[in-house]
Amino acid sequence: MTDKHLSTQFDAELSGISTRVLEMGGLVESQVAQAIYALSNFSGDTATQVLAQEERVNQMEVEIDRDLSTIIARRQPTARDLRLLIAISKTIGNLERVGDEAARIARTVQRLINTGVFSRLRLPVGDVSFEASLATSQLRKTLDAFARLDVNQALEVIKQDNQIDQEFDGLMRKLITYMMEDPRTISASIDLVFVAKAIERVGDHAKNLAEQIIYIVKGTDVRHASMESVESAVR
């Protein structure tokens, strides 16, 4: 078997792995969107669908991780190919945790519906939905950047992470006000705090994925780096 044949096979394996990562990313993006739909529309059925998808996301992580280990053992890749495989391993871990956050939101929705709180109290669900739209947009941009290995778009995702943090802080202040003005909202407001935190973590995971894209392309680990350092790595 020629070296060219081996290289072609390796490229096909890398392409197949990358395609499955994007498939996994699309699934968890859908999970988050469905979880927020369930919250906004008080849909227990939709929340149940989100939880049903969790097992598939977990299985995809296990399968892709197993195939990564096999490729590394057989091909012994170097340089950029090895960076790609290492980054993919970290990427699927982040995607699995996004799925966990979606499932956490879905379970909270089920609990709120079962207590009947939505029919009795006015809560800032719309604010939570807006925070979620920012987070899912970040996730979508990151997956698109991964598909094209676009470091400039990855950089934009990292820069925009503060918007989600600011939205989260504003929502916390609003929920505290609700609890102070009407003690009946305390339990439900605390549940929404956990939902808002789950959404903020989705944004954090999108940022982590963007950092991995920069690592794949530039070979520079920009985790915990200043924005100036990240911009320098991309240039």
Side-chain angles (χ1 to χ4, degrees), residues 19-31 56-58 60-62 64 91-97 143:
T19 297
R20 288 160 63 199
V21 171
L22 290 171
E23 180 186 350
M24 183 180 178
L27 183 56
V28 298
E29 182 186 341
S30 173
Q31 268 190 297
R56 178 56 185 151
V57 171
N58 293 342
M60 289 186 77
E61 181 194 21
V62 171
I64 295 172
T91 294
I92 60 174
N94 275 283
L95 288 175
E96 190 274 334
R97 286 189 285 278
L143 291 171

Side-chain angles (χ1 to χ4, degrees), residues 31-66:
Q31 268 190 297
V32 174
Q34 285 183 308
I36 298 306
Y37 177 89
L39 178 68
S40 301
N41 295 276
F42 319 139
S43 172
D45 289 341
T46 305
T48 300
Q49 291 173 17
V50 173
L51 294 173
Q53 291 176 335
E54 185 177 20
E55 184 176 347
R56 178 56 185 151
V57 171
N58 293 342
Q59 186 61 34
M60 289 186 77
E61 181 194 21
V62 171
E63 291 172 355
I64 295 172
D65 221 12
R66 180 193 61 213

